[in-house]
Amino acid sequence: MTAPATRPQTVAEPREPSSGPLLSVRDLTMTFPGKRTLTGRRSAPVRAVDGVSFDLEAGQTLGLVGESGCGKSTTGRMLVRLLEPTSGSVVFDGRDISRLSQSALRPLRRNIQMVFQDPHSSLNPRQTVSRIISDPLLVQGWSAADARRRAAELMELTGLIPEHIDRYPHEFSGGQAQRIGIARSLATSPRLVIADEPVSALDVSVQAQIVNLMERLRAELGLAYVFIAHDLSVVKRVSDRVAVMYLGRIVEIGDKRSLYENPQHPYTRALLSAVPLPDPAAERRRERIVLLGDPPSPAAPPPGCSFHPRCPKAQEVCRTERPALRPAASREVACHFPGD
């Protein structure tokens, strides 16, 4: 057996923060071609992501929130090149990875990994836990023995019993299966992890355990996260900054505390009003903002501001002119009339 191409790294390896953003995304778009109908015609193309831009510093967490179908998961998959962007750029650690060939991208994949939403469907049912976790290492040139030892270390780090290393995914609960997925994402000692709704398929009690685990791993390993979710209470727990998406665009992005305490975009205010409060008296007193209608189709977005058909503050300019992200109250907001 040949020696590994690189020396096996220790499990906990803190990193110094870089001088610039670890991840810089600019004008990222994804347009899916329309499907063919029974008559042979193609339906309208779907613009799933429409000009998303943000920065992420090393060691920080950016929460990406919004309704189902707003483009959160598509954005996450483009960041790791599981989907090829239609346009825009993804710059990781100073290097544009959005147009690299697969051979040029392979050495960089060790630094960017992903945790998927459904823990069981993301694991190969025919492979043991040892093979699932060690596969990324084997691709990177590690020997089988070193990869197996690393897999056992990662199982212990993520709260699993190393003696279960030869079991199959169906022998684990949902929370345990997600820990396997997290261990797999850490195998190559990445700097950035894209977490695509990692707790939405789990029970509430298990959600807290996984969130606490990811927070501990971030502190110990110096990880940065893009944490994709629709549960704003979970995002508030884990994030440093929050970006709110609607119909493929970021409508508000900023520091977590200021965004939660003083939301500027009407859509953000509506989302936060739907988060349950632990105090029943406060829950009864507060105003619940109910949005009328359904989100427009990304295949036929409305002109102007995409939120104006559901916005209680919409005026004529909102129907004709699409707002750009502009500074407002210590963050950026895409709204003609931000604030109260």
Side-chain angles (χ1 to χ4, degrees):
M1 183 68 67
T2 59
T6 57
R7 178 183 60 83
Q9 297 172 317
T10 58
V11 172
E13 188 174 336
R15 300 178 177 87
E16 295 296 328
S18 59
S19 56
L22 177 66
L23 181 70
S24 183
V25 178
R26 291 292 177 270
D27 299 321
L28 199 63
T29 65
M30 182 70 213
T31 302
F32 293 103
K35 296 181 179 180
R36 287 195 178 277
T37 63
L38 294 177
T39 60
R41 296 181 178 180
R42 280 196 177 273
S43 59
V46 176
R47 199 172 182 86
V49 178
D50 188 7
V52 165
S53 299
F54 62 83
D55 290 330
L56 176 64
E57 301 291 335
Q60 289 191 345
T61 297
L62 174 72
L64 200 57
V65 301
E67 294 172 290
S68 296
C70 70
K72 307 185 301 295
S73 295
T74 301
T75 298
R77 289 172 180 268
M78 285 192 288
L79 298 181
V80 295
R81 289 284 301 276
L82 291 179
L83 291 175
E84 298 295 331
T86 303
S87 63
S89 64
V90 178
V91 178
F92 176 77
D93 202 19
R95 185 174 183 182
D96 189 348
I97 65 172
S98 56
R99 294 293 179 265
L100 290 180
S101 66
Q102 289 299 321
S103 59
L105 185 63
R106 175 170 290 184
L108 297 175
R109 285 196 182 278
R110 70 184 68 177
N111 290 317
I112 310 175
Q113 293 294 316
M114 191 164 187
V115 177
F116 297 92
Q117 178 178 0
D118 188 336
H120 280 292
S121 66
S122 67
L123 305 177
N124 190 333
R126 298 183 179 182
Q127 292 184 347
T128 63
V129 173
S130 172
R131 183 57 188 265
I132 289 171
I133 298 176
S134 62
D135 250 355
L137 298 173
L138 299 176
V139 171
Q140 295 291 336
W142 287 46
S143 70
D146 285 333
R148 182 180 174 86
R149 281 194 294 269
R150 172 71 163 155
E153 290 177 343
L154 288 167
M155 288 185 69
E156 186 173 6
L157 180 68
T158 54
L160 296 167
I161 301 175
E163 287 75 13
H164 294 169
I165 195 170
D166 291 318
R167 292 188 177 184
Y168 289 85
H170 73 271
E171 300 179 76
F172 295 88
S173 67
Q176 291 173 324
Q178 192 61 290
R179 290 174 187 267
I180 297 171
I182 294 172
R184 176 179 58 186
S185 73
L186 299 178
T188 57
S189 298
R191 302 180 63 189
L192 171 65
V193 174
I194 312 299
D196 184 11
E197 304 209 32
V199 298
S200 63
L202 306 177
D203 294 338
V204 174
S205 59
V206 180
Q207 287 183 12
Q209 297 173 17
I210 297 299
V211 167
N212 291 336
L213 170 65
M214 296 184 70
E215 280 286 271
R216 176 173 63 82
L217 293 173
R218 181 176 78 151
E220 292 181 2
L221 306 181
L223 297 171
Y225 290 128
V226 174
F227 195 96
I228 300 168
H230 61 266
D231 188 335
L232 275 78
S233 58
V234 173
V235 171
K236 184 178 181 180
R237 169 71 176 82
V238 302
S239 301
D240 300 297
R241 300 175 71 238
V242 178
V244 181
M245 288 190 68
Y246 183 81
L247 206 66
R249 303 189 70 223
I250 291 179
V251 297
E252 186 166 1
I253 181 171
D255 174 75
K256 171 186 66 176
R257 175 170 297 180
S258 62
L259 187 143
Y260 274 77
E261 293 179 354
N262 185 25
Q264 296 292 299
H265 197 282
Y267 179 61
T268 308
R269 291 170 58 84
L271 287 181
L272 290 176
S273 76
V275 178
L277 297 178
D279 183 354
E283 178 71 25
R284 288 192 296 268
R285 287 195 305 268
R286 73 168 176 171
E287 177 188 4
R288 175 73 167 88
I289 301 174
V290 179
L291 297 177
L292 301 177
D294 297 321
S297 169
C305 175
S306 57
F307 186 60
H308 86 257
R310 308 173 72 193
C311 181
K313 300 170 60 177
Q315 300 185 29
E316 186 58 33
V317 66
C318 304
R319 299 177 178 88
T320 58
E321 183 180 337
R322 188 167 80 167
L325 277 173
R326 299 186 181 92
S330 74
R331 90 268 334 236
E332 292 180 288
V333 184
C335 181
H336 293 297
F337 307 100
D340 294 336

